[in-house]
Amino acid sequence: MQTLIINIKELLQVRETPIDKVSGSDMAVLPSIKNAFLLIENDTIAAFGSMDNCPKLNPENTIDANGKIVLPSWCDSHTHLVYAGNREQEFVDRINGLSYEEIARRGGGILNSAKRLNETSEAEIYQQSKKRLEEVIQQGTGAIEIKSGYGLTVEGELKMLRVIKKLAQDYPIAIKSTFLGAHAFPTEYKENHSAYIDIIINEMLPKIAEENLADYIDAFLETGYFSVTETERIMEAGKQYGLRAKIHVNQFTAINGIAACVKHKALSVDHLEIVTEADIEALKNTETMPVALPSCSFFISIPYTPARQMLNAGLPLALATDFNPGTTPSGNMNFVVATACIKMKMTPEEAINAATINGAYAMGLSATHGSITVGKKANIVITKPLHSFYEIPYAFGSNPVEQVMLNGKLIS
């Protein structure tokens, strides 16, 4: 089965030679071809180039993309898309002056979501979650990481991870699953952290491994949540089951957590609203991808990740949504890209690199996703007619996506 897309106004993120990620000043360069074609065979990118060199073929499908931009699908490397209900009351509480910490102390926040999830059947959680997944696919996301972390019990965490596994089986989008049992301490373990971590390590992890339910392990490394020492214990336990770390860190405070994550070769460190010079030094020349979540900063009015400081230091950066019921009830990567440009002063080129190839790296998918490269999966976005790709972040309230293709097939 061949699909030929012709007359593409501009084909973005074209990489003749495969790369894993882009860093520093290289992030300002977004390779593209104007007046281009893209050839897809079955589920794979087969060829691309200028229309002047378009092969003479009789493909089963031809798409005329005149006036439109084509780019690789968004790679959203940090979400909590599987959850029960919502936390709209907390949204109003914040408007009325309560902080994230105050809401948590009143039984809101993560513990609120955990209570709802444990009261909801696996079938119902699946039904709620698949609607969210279908929505983000239509918004252009072609690879996504989904975390557990709203169970905080053995059965609750397993329930979430089974839902993630079923979504991965039922939908053509690439899904990576992350075990986040260390999202918060249940009320009964507030004064006995070690006992809850014992449950994570001795009860949850063996069962997760037995059912092959996770690709990565995560913890909320933050003042008032999991300490550096506690997170290191969790990262070490994950390694025993082949689960590399992807860690929440530096959302509200900097407590030398990034250096610990780098020491344990974490694939990514996510949030980074607060970043010190020591954190930047710790990240230089490492395998660890920093991930910014600007729509979280937007929604709960906290600082934005200092992207310019990090890129000027030569670091890579990825962008993700943090889609969750409490602090970012949106999985719209188009808005994330726009917010990164508007609030973090990233250029459109940098933001698109961060949301495609670097996002793919941050969930271990850069060999198959994140760029227009021969041999990679044909997961692409075809925009509506645009003046240029700058219009994607510029017209931040409009939906730029006209068609989405996953594994070489258009999604209706």
Side-chain angles (χ1 to χ4, degrees), residues 100-101 185 193 220-228 230-231 248-256:
Y100 182 90
E101 293 84 353
F185 287 99
H193 289 191
F220 190 9
L221 199 176
E222 182 57 76
T223 302
Y225 290 85
F226 289 78
S227 70
V228 172
E230 289 165 346
T231 302
H248 286 64
V249 65
N250 284 48
Q251 183 174 5
F252 303 112
T253 58
I255 53 175
N256 297 317

Side-chain angles (χ1 to χ4, degrees), residues 42-165:
N42 299 318
D43 64 348
T44 303
I45 295 169
F48 58 84
S50 166
M51 279 301 294
D52 294 339
N53 300 315
C54 186
K56 299 288 185 282
L57 299 169
N58 291 305
E60 285 85 347
N61 300 308
T62 300
I63 299 170
D64 190 339
N66 187 38
K68 301 168 186 178
I69 309 296
V70 174
L71 66 155
S73 295
W74 304 124
C75 296
D76 187 356
S77 67
H78 182 127
T79 84
H80 307 255
L81 177 145
V82 170
Y83 57 86
N86 65 42
R87 294 193 343 231
E88 60 191 24
Q89 182 57 51
E90 294 176 18
F91 168 65
V92 178
D93 290 341
R94 271 196 304 278
I95 293 169
N96 287 323
L98 291 182
S99 69
Y100 182 90
E101 293 84 353
E102 287 168 329
I103 290 167
R105 282 198 296 270
R106 287 169 39 154
I110 295 163
L111 296 182
N112 182 4
S113 286
K115 181 175 184 293
R116 290 185 182 211
L117 185 121
N118 282 295
E119 292 170 350
T120 306
S121 72
E122 187 172 319
E124 175 58 24
I125 294 164
Y126 175 84
Q127 290 300 318
Q128 292 182 28
S129 301
K130 79 171 194 170
K131 290 177 185 174
R132 300 180 199 115
L133 185 63
E134 289 166 2
E135 180 180 51
V136 302
I137 289 170
Q138 292 295 342
Q139 292 168 339
T141 295
I144 192 167
E145 181 256 22
I146 308 175
K147 303 177 190 294
S148 68
Y150 293 130
L152 308 184
T153 62
V154 176
E155 277 313 308
E157 290 296 306
L158 290 172
K159 182 161 60 172
M160 289 189 75
L161 291 166
R162 287 174 186 138
V163 168
I164 298 168
K165 187 172 185 176

Side-chain angles (χ1 to χ4, degrees), residues 126-377:
Y126 175 84
Q127 290 300 318
Q128 292 182 28
S129 301
K130 79 171 194 170
K131 290 177 185 174
R132 300 180 199 115
L133 185 63
E134 289 166 2
E135 180 180 51
V136 302
I137 289 170
Q138 292 295 342
Q139 292 168 339
T141 295
I144 192 167
E145 181 256 22
I146 308 175
K147 303 177 190 294
S148 68
Y150 293 130
L152 308 184
T153 62
V154 176
E155 277 313 308
E157 290 296 306
L158 290 172
K159 182 161 60 172
M160 289 189 75
L161 291 166
R162 287 174 186 138
V163 168
I164 298 168
K165 187 172 185 176
K166 182 167 170 52
L167 290 170
Q169 291 167 344
D170 292 351
Y171 287 86
I173 186 171
I175 294 178
K176 289 290 189 174
S177 176
T178 298
F179 167 50
L180 178 56
H183 202 187
F185 287 99
T187 305
E188 60 269 34
Y189 294 101
K190 278 289 183 190
E191 307 304 323
N192 191 356
H193 289 191
S194 186
Y196 180 61
I197 295 171
D198 284 344
I199 292 170
I200 290 173
I201 293 171
N202 300 323
E203 296 184 43
M204 294 183 187
L205 272 170
K207 291 184 178 178
I208 289 163
E210 187 181 326
E211 294 187 42
N212 192 27
L213 292 175
D215 301 296
Y216 300 107
I217 193 165
D218 194 351
F220 190 9
L221 199 176
E222 182 57 76
T223 302
Y225 290 85
F226 289 78
S227 70
V228 172
T229 301
E230 289 165 346
T231 302
E232 287 191 294
R233 189 179 164 205
I234 289 158
M235 288 192 283
E236 282 291 347
K239 287 178 197 173
Q240 306 307 310
Y241 293 94
L243 303 181
R244 194 173 179 184
K246 284 170 58 65
I247 303 295
H248 286 64
V249 65
N250 284 48
Q251 183 174 5
F252 303 112
T253 58
I255 53 175
N256 297 317
I258 288 175
C261 294
V262 168
K263 183 176 78 174
H264 288 272
K265 293 187 163 48
L267 179 59
S268 71
V269 284
D270 304 26
H271 270 294
L272 313 184
E273 287 86 350
I274 307 297
V275 178
T276 67
E277 286 295 336
D279 293 327
I280 288 173
E281 286 302 314
L283 284 164
K284 284 182 179 177
N285 304 309
T286 72
E287 300 173 4
T288 302
M289 175 65 70
V291 180
L293 311 171
S295 47
C296 176
S297 298
F298 170 84
F299 192 72
I300 63 171
S301 301
I302 60 175
Y304 288 85
T305 302
R308 289 262 56 89
Q309 182 184 354
M310 296 168 74
L311 297 182
N312 291 344
L315 297 182
L317 188 64
L319 291 169
T321 64
D322 194 23
F323 192 0
N324 77 79
T327 61
T328 324
S330 167
N332 189 338
M333 282 292 287
N334 303 290
F335 180 73
V336 167
V337 168
T339 306
C341 294
I342 297 162
K343 294 295 187 181
M344 292 162 56
K345 303 303 180 194
M346 294 179 75
T347 66
E349 291 87 350
E350 289 168 339
I352 291 170
N353 273 321
T356 54
I357 189 65
N358 283 4
Y361 178 94
M363 51 182 150
L365 286 172
S366 50
T368 53
H369 294 74
S371 67
I372 303 296
T373 301
V374 171
K376 284 196 175 187
K377 291 293 182 187

Side-chain angles (χ1 to χ4, degrees), residues 5 63-71 74 137-140 334 380-386 392 398-405 410-412:
I5 307 175
I63 299 170
D64 190 339
N66 187 38
K68 301 168 186 178
I69 309 296
V70 174
L71 66 155
W74 304 124
I137 289 170
Q138 292 295 342
Q139 292 168 339
N334 303 290
I380 63 163
V381 172
I382 303 171
T383 72
K384 297 168 183 173
L386 300 177
I392 297 172
S398 300
N399 175 18
V401 177
E402 183 168 276
Q403 290 178 295
V404 171
M405 183 177 281
L410 287 172
I411 305 298
S412 59

